[in-house]
Amino acid sequence: QQQVKQSPQSLIVQKGGISIINCAYENTAFDYFPWYQQFPGKGPALLIAIRPDVSEKKEGRFTISFNKSAKQFSLHIMDSQPGDSATYFCAASKTTRTGSARQLTFGSGTQLTVLP
Amino acid sequence: KAGVTQTPRYLIKTRGQQVTLSCSPISGHRSVSWYQQTPGQGLQFLFEYFSETQRNKGNFPGRFSGRQFSNSRSEMNVSTLELGDSALYLCASSAAFDRGGRGRGMKETQYFGPGTRLLVL
């Protein structure tokens, strides 16, 4: 059961353009939504994360937009650079009863290519 | 601080063998989670350990097991390897707290290691 659907599968943008990646979730118990960036040969690295009590969070060129009623959230990369070329994963998780680390449910990933 | 380290980085095994992968979390982190990454299934949660106890487990067969030591280092073991076990195995550490303990709150961020690439022939 895929609980987090991510699109598009691949994305090509010109340098300086805006990259937009979308995710939709099903489980209304999810209360934490991080985005990870992964380069070849590396593990995923946290980019930015949001909780459902806010509709938008911005960190530098990266912005998460969150629509709780639609159960959707998206990542916007402003002024995209060739160095942003990587695979991006959205994820979602819920607070655990035990209080231990969150179990992340990942989207399928988006391969972003930024052309120079 | 040093990041999450995983050993070995690459491994080739044959069907039926077993394998043990190791993960050293960031100093001070007590929670270690394991994920499997494949082109077909993406990133899937295997299990999480905190204070030497398995706290959460994903939907994987019993051939996948793990443990955590008192220094928070963790190992995962896969027995009777199958071709479909070929994957990148990622370890993530976080400074999660036990709400029943003295710590307050829960640290959200999980820091991933570079992974161990396992190829089963």
Side-chain angles (χ1 to χ4, degrees), chain A residues 32 36 38 41-46 51 89 93-108, chain B residues 9 31 33 35 37 43 45 48 50 55-58 88 90 94 96-99 106 108-110 112-114:
Chain A
Y32 175 69
Y36 281 83
Q38 185 177 30
K42 304 286 188 181
L46 179 68
R51 292 183 178 276
F89 293 93
S93 72
K94 57 185 178 180
T95 301
T96 60
R97 179 169 52 85
T98 60
S100 56
R102 291 176 174 275
Q103 173 182 332
L104 297 170
T105 299
F106 283 90
S108 55
Chain B
R9 292 294 311 277
S31 170
S33 299
Y35 289 82
Q37 185 174 23
L43 280 151
F45 173 78
E48 184 242 346
F50 180 86
R55 293 298 187 95
N56 291 299
K57 189 177 190 303
L88 179 66
L90 292 158
S94 71
F97 285 94
D98 182 347
R99 286 179 174 167
M106 184 169 66
E108 306 288 3
T109 304
Q110 295 195 38
F112 283 85

Side-chain angles (χ1 to χ4, degrees), chain B residues 84-118:
Chain B
D85 296 334
S86 295
L88 179 66
Y89 290 90
L90 292 158
C91 162
S93 81
S94 71
F97 285 94
D98 182 347
R99 286 179 174 167
R102 293 180 297 172
R104 291 183 178 274
M106 184 169 66
K107 301 299 183 184
E108 306 288 3
T109 304
Q110 295 195 38
Y111 298 87
F112 283 85
T116 294
R117 175 75 63 184
L118 172 64

